[in-house]
Amino acid sequence: MDKILEGLVSSSHPLPLKRVIVRRVVESAETPLSQAQCRAMFALSTRLVLQGPDPFQRQVGRQVLEAYGRYHRAEFEAFFNRGLVLGLLQRGYGELSNRDPAILDYIQAGLRLIMSCPSVLELFELLQVEALRLVCERPAPPLCARLCQLLGDFPQCLPRGRKLSLAFCQQLVRSIAHFQSQGNREAELRLYVSQVTQVSGLLQSVWKAEPDTLLPSLQELFAVISAADTSFEPSVALASLVQHIPLQMITVLIRSLTTDPNVKDASMTQALCRMIDWLSWPLAQHVETWVIALLKGLAAVQKFTILIDVTLLKIELVFNRLWFPLVRPGALAVLSHMLLSFQHSPEAFHLIVPHVVGLVHSFKRDGLPSSTAFLMQLTELIHCMMYHYSGFPELYEPILEAVKDMPKPTEEKIKMILSQSAWTSQSSSLPSCLSRLSGKSETGKTGLINLGNTCYMNSVIQALFMATDFRRHVLSLNLNGCNSLMRKLQHLFAFLAHTQREAYAPRIFFEASRPPWFTPRSQQDCSEYLRFLLDRLHEEERTLKALSSAKTAESLVNEESQAQESVHKAQVFAEAACMGSEERTLIEKMFGGKLKTTICCLNCKSMSQKEEVFTDLSLAFCPPTSLENVGPKCVERSEVKDDCMVQINASATSLAGETPLNSLEVNGGCDTMNEGTIKDFSTEPNSESTTNSELHKVQDNTDVSQRLVGKNTLSVTDLLNYFLAPEILSGDNKYYCEKCASLQNAEKTMQIIEEPEYLILTLLRFSYDPKCHIRRKILDNVSLPLVLELPVKRATSPLAVVSGGWSVGVEISDIGENLAKKLKPSGADEVTCPQLVPYTLSSVVVHSGVSSESGHYYSYARNVTGSGPSGLCHQSTALSLVSPQDKLLTEESPCTVVENELDTEMPREWFLFNDSRVTFTSFQSVQKITSRFPKDTAYVLFYKRQNSTCGFNTNSANGLWVNGDPPLQKDLMDAITKDNKLYLQEQELSARTQALQAASASCSFRPNGFDDNDPPGSCGPTGGGGGGGFSTVGRLVF
């Protein structure tokens, strides 16, 4: 029968005829045959299966083998023995190599036929050994897939025992690493993917059956992808294994991997790069999940060098994967994480910028719902990056044009995405005993390191930085090549806005801006510093403008004679200086207002007027006129002077405590001696006149004071009304009237005729005690309205004005004979139009302590722009400041109004800046700070004018301002990028050092904030401090 069959299949008869005869041969298998005949049929069918020259012969061989093996099982068991199988696996069959998949096909078919025979157990033992040998020889994908199929169908052939099983899994992982596709056509690629899937599926089965093999297999996988051997590149087919790793193991595996001291940086970098390459593998699941988890794990242990290198190496490859729909979801997830976390430099983003427009157009051409959805996600990502790295319109304009019809995320959403994605915001995976070295706090704001009692500067700088329009103007200035103080302020603002550091050390700015009379490393007055700083910036800008104008004009006269040149230069400079004074400086535009002082002779009714420019108003505390409802701190006494009975409120506190102030102290025990005021009125020639004038002012405004007596809490409204109240000049402080040609009683009034963009109010809390020669602090609580309305009286007719020039501050104490004699009578009645200008509270600088020479400063602030009323402040609840001449004071308690305002406050709008620490707070905390901590009192207030028209239009040409700020100059951005990279390196070095000391380290955490028992203004460990930390990594307070 075997001869007939062999001649038939090799004959030239028609194929249908051959099939009919073959069917007859297969049917005859049921007839009894001798052992020799059976063996001959088995040998022939084996030869046809393994060496058949065409598919027909191989098919005939399989049919005959299966039929005769089934009906003659004992004979086939004897034929299909250990020797035959071992020979096939080790030597092959004739010319057929032992690495041909057909060998395994034949063995699998044979195993099916003898499954019920005892000899199959011997073959299983043989195959367990041979399977391990085969995978150690790194079989090609077809053979390996066929072996895995056989082992999947017959799991009895899998290596047994933990050692052999583990070795098999590890070697199979290495075999996958050597896989390479044999072609580039779609059919070939599909076959290759299916083969890899077959192999990875077997590994999954082994891991499920024997869980102990999983972790060693993953260790082997990491060893393969982290190898630095440049002659061997592991196959991306390894990505097929990721989907079989339980996601529950991510936390444990990533933590173990990132904290293992034996894993070198080069190995980790190599492994991460290859894992990112796995994004190219189709149908692989969870690859992006593991890649992102590893990126976050490295950020958590501050291994920023690896993250930087990998991002710059692979960002373009990840972006290019977006062109392929099969791998697009995973690629977009990794791309988003890499870009959003790489916030210290635009380098990574700019690598993909040239390719964005083409991809966007491709998505639009597709028109598929999936492409549209991905385009929306990509557009949101691109907007976030352009927002964060503004200042490159030439790069971004084509992108903006391409995505102009796509939805744009809101600024709030962009801020939230960026704040949650930075490397320095990743939660730490280190043991709890390690200090967490973090970047910016959750607020997204940067603190200022205390350089040694420099909290007075830090609090002022943060308040100025949070003055949004001022900050934007400063950042928009083109100051390249200029070494001015404004340039240094611009540099400081830029770092506060863009640095990755938790806190920045403003050493250069401090040295440049410190007043010469300020002793280094000693506490100073923040109000005095603020005045000096604004004055310096103002005068510096005027000088630079004058020099610029002089150079411009001088260039026009180069052809004049040498004899006239020197004279003309002097004239040109003088004219330029005048022109510069007429053009307002940035400080004048932002903080400058005008105050008009009018003195009216009570005899002839002639008037004298003077205008002064101010940048801040210093508000004294109102003295009461009776003993009723006076708080327990007030010590009152009466004195008779010029037949007038007055009461002096000695509401002051000193370290000694009980000594009442004498009659030289005015305004309720405060001679309005601001902490920054140099002069001492008790030693000046006109100090008595000043005192007498103040006493008459108190008498003239009895109704004002009486309305304030009995109120538990003063408000800023009260202090401003008192500041603007009229005053009688009489007695020793009479006014010299030129019209009467004699000293006369007169009435002095002050009116604000031009409001500033930012209204700075200083509460004069420090009073000078001439007896003890110390300065005491008034600890009275003052209610701070969220919105106040400032009375501004603009003149409608021209006035004869005697200019008072530039004044950095106007104090109510600046009243006396000297001032009165400077004013010239005008004799012209003025027509005024009172207008209430609404202001919104922007910042509050708080002083903590009982003395101007000690204590601590910190500030509360929020973002307030001039585009319109604040969302949490409504005009219906505004505290109005009305004309003091009309004696119309607000009847409603300020506290009541403020409580109404608090109901509409947006969460997390206010920030507490306490040196290097920045935390979220609320306006309620601002209002209650003094009641909670009696030594912590509001000192300097910043109010922003509502409905202002001088603010920046954040919808600029490129529309890409960070926090609405203008793009930075290139040199500034380069400096910030360099420092951010340095900071990440410092973080990494510190983290590695702490990791080495983890075994012996022991420390405790304190909350990143303060509770009711620990005031934010304290100089203790939770107060932001007044210490002199100089660490480049930053002072960390827990």
Side-chain angles (χ1 to χ4, degrees), residues 497-801:
H498 295 273
T499 184
Q500 292 286 302
R501 296 182 182 273
E502 179 187 30
Y504 180 72
R507 295 185 182 88
I508 296 176
F509 186 80
F510 171 67
E511 293 299 331
S513 65
R514 178 174 59 86
W517 59 89
F518 275 19
T519 305
R521 303 187 70 80
S522 64
Q523 188 60 279
Q524 305 293 342
D525 176 15
C526 74
S527 177
E528 183 180 0
Y529 173 79
L530 174 60
R531 291 182 178 185
F532 177 80
L533 175 62
L534 296 182
D535 186 37
R536 275 277 309 276
L537 294 171
H538 163 74
E539 293 296 340
E540 183 182 78
E541 185 177 352
R542 284 184 58 187
T543 302
L544 290 175
K545 285 182 177 180
L547 290 173
S548 177
S549 300
K551 289 180 180 179
T552 302
E554 187 178 341
S555 64
L556 300 176
V557 294
N558 286 335
E559 297 178 359
E560 294 187 6
S561 63
Q562 293 295 329
Q564 297 176 342
E565 187 172 353
S566 59
V567 177
H568 186 76
K569 280 184 181 180
Q571 293 175 347
V572 165
F573 187 83
E575 293 172 1
C578 294
M579 287 170 32
S581 64
E582 291 174 4
E583 184 180 352
R584 302 180 70 194
T585 65
L586 176 59
I587 301 303
E588 288 178 297
K589 292 175 183 176
M590 290 288 103
F591 304 103
K594 283 187 180 179
L595 188 70
K596 182 175 69 176
T597 303
T598 303
I599 297 183
C600 177
C601 176
L602 297 181
N603 182 40
C604 66
K605 305 301 181 184
S606 63
M607 299 178 65
S608 175
Q609 298 175 340
K610 175 184 174 69
E611 287 186 8
E612 292 179 291
V613 180
F614 68 88
T615 54
D616 77 292
L617 298 178
S618 298
L619 308 181
F621 282 75
C622 321
T625 57
S626 71
L627 295 173
E628 299 176 3
N629 299 319
V630 177
K633 293 183 185 178
C634 300
V635 180
E636 301 219 358
R637 62 179 182 165
S638 299
E639 292 190 8
V640 178
K641 198 170 186 90
D642 295 335
D643 300 325
C644 294
M645 178 69 73
V646 298
Q647 279 86 25
I648 304 296
N649 174 16
S651 177
T653 302
S654 69
L655 295 174
E658 301 93 26
T659 308
L661 305 182
N662 63 23
S663 61
L664 291 177
E665 296 159 339
V666 297
N667 292 340
C670 177
D671 64 351
T672 69
M673 181 66 74
N674 188 325
E675 194 174 276
T677 307
I678 305 302
K679 60 185 179 181
D680 182 352
F681 283 109
S682 65
T683 61
E684 296 213 0
N686 296 317
S687 59
E688 286 293 333
S689 300
T690 304
T691 304
N692 196 34
S693 169
E694 278 298 310
L695 301 182
H696 280 78
K697 177 167 183 172
V698 172
Q699 183 189 35
D700 184 69
N701 292 283
T702 3
D703 58 337
V704 173
S705 299
Q706 287 174 347
R707 298 280 293 279
L708 300 178
V709 172
K711 293 177 67 173
N712 293 328
T713 304
L714 292 172
S715 73
V716 174
T717 309
D718 301 328
L719 302 188
L720 266 168
N721 281 335
Y722 179 62
F723 176 82
L724 296 172
E727 140 188 35
I728 300 299
L729 305 179
S730 62
D732 293 340
N733 200 34
K734 286 185 177 181
Y735 165 65
Y736 180 82
C737 177
E738 292 187 354
K739 188 173 182 180
C740 299
S742 61
L743 293 172
Q744 297 290 335
N745 291 337
E747 181 184 62
K748 173 185 173 182
T749 59
M750 288 189 290
Q751 298 173 345
I752 298 173
I753 61 172
E754 184 177 315
E755 72 278 13
E757 187 66 28
Y758 285 93
L759 176 65
I760 301 178
L761 303 176
T762 301
L763 309 187
L764 296 178
R765 293 188 173 276
F766 300 107
S767 61
Y768 181 75
D769 184 350
K771 283 186 176 180
C772 302
H773 298 288
I774 62 173
R775 300 176 67 195
R776 306 172 187 269
K777 181 178 178 182
I778 301 172
L779 295 175
D780 293 0
N781 192 12
V782 176
S783 177
L784 310 177
L786 271 172
V787 177
L788 61 80
E789 291 181 333
L790 185 70
V792 179
K793 298 219 170 185
R794 296 188 177 89
T796 57
S797 61
L799 300 175
V801 177

Side-chain angles (χ1 to χ4, degrees), residues 137-348:
E137 294 176 355
R138 308 289 176 259
L143 178 61
C144 193
R146 194 63 195 84
L147 174 64
C148 290
Q149 182 180 352
L150 185 151
L151 298 177
D153 290 343
F154 297 95
Q156 302 92 331
C157 299
L158 284 168
R160 297 295 177 182
R162 186 180 185 281
K163 185 176 181 180
L164 290 178
S165 180
L166 181 56
F168 175 78
C169 291
Q170 291 175 328
Q171 292 302 321
L172 196 55
V173 168
R174 289 200 171 267
S175 294
I176 298 175
H178 285 75
F179 284 0
Q180 297 296 333
S181 175
Q182 301 302 315
N184 296 320
R185 291 179 297 183
E186 183 178 353
E188 294 171 329
L189 292 176
R190 287 181 179 276
L191 177 61
Y192 174 63
V193 170
S194 67
Q195 292 167 349
V196 174
T197 303
Q198 183 78 48
V199 177
S200 65
L202 178 67
L203 266 176
Q204 180 192 20
S205 301
V206 176
W207 290 341
K208 283 184 177 181
E210 300 185 49
D212 290 346
T213 62
L214 175 58
L215 189 57
S217 299
L218 297 181
Q219 291 172 339
E220 190 72 17
L221 174 62
F222 182 79
V224 170
I225 63 176
S226 61
D229 183 6
T230 56
S231 63
F232 170 67
E233 184 63 28
S235 171
V236 294
L238 289 170
S240 62
L241 300 179
V242 175
Q243 59 189 320
H244 303 309
I245 306 173
L247 292 178
Q248 298 88 336
M249 298 183 65
I250 283 184
T251 303
V252 175
L253 289 177
I254 295 300
R255 176 174 176 174
S256 174
L257 193 59
T258 55
T259 58
D260 188 349
N262 296 318
V263 178
K264 304 302 181 184
D265 285 2
S267 299
M268 183 64 75
T269 302
Q270 190 73 271
L272 186 53
C273 286
R274 285 166 173 163
M275 287 180 67
I276 292 173
D277 291 340
W278 292 352
L279 291 171
S280 304
W281 184 255
L283 305 180
Q285 300 176 9
H286 309 312
V287 171
E288 70 278 5
T289 305
W290 283 91
V291 170
I292 293 173
L294 184 53
L295 291 171
K296 288 183 175 180
L298 290 170
V301 294
Q302 286 84 42
K303 293 187 177 181
F304 300 120
T305 302
I306 299 175
L307 293 171
I308 293 172
D309 292 344
V310 170
T311 302
L312 295 179
L313 281 171
K314 292 297 180 179
I315 192 73
E316 290 180 280
L317 180 143
V318 175
F319 183 84
N320 288 335
R321 298 283 77 79
L322 297 178
W323 289 91
F324 306 100
L326 278 178
V327 298
R328 187 177 293 159
L332 184 58
V334 174
L335 179 73
S336 298
H337 180 82
M338 293 177 78
L339 286 179
L340 292 172
S341 60
F342 198 92
Q343 293 187 16
H344 68 283
S345 164
E347 187 176 0

Side-chain angles (χ1 to χ4, degrees), residues 440-481:
K440 288 187 179 182
S441 69
E442 59 177 345
T443 64
K445 303 296 181 184
T446 304
L448 288 171
I449 294 176
N450 193 311
L451 304 176
N453 285 322
T454 57
C455 56
Y456 67 89
M457 176 190 72
N458 291 349
S459 59
V460 166
I461 293 301
Q462 293 286 18
L464 290 174
F465 178 80
M466 294 298 286
T468 308
D469 288 344
F470 176 64
R471 178 182 73 245
R472 292 173 179 173
H473 277 88
V474 171
L475 292 176
S476 68
L477 296 174
N478 186 359
L479 301 172
N480 287 337

Side-chain angles (χ1 to χ4, degrees), residues 132-145:
L132 179 58
R133 181 186 63 79
L134 272 176
V135 295
C136 289
E137 294 176 355
R138 308 289 176 259
L143 178 61
C144 193

Side-chain angles (χ1 to χ4, degrees), residues 441 443 910-914 917-921 1008-1010:
S441 69
T443 64
W910 283 88
F911 305 94
L912 170 58
F913 295 91
N914 199 337
R917 183 173 55 190
V918 186
T919 54
F920 284 116
T921 187
N1008 190 17
F1010 60 88

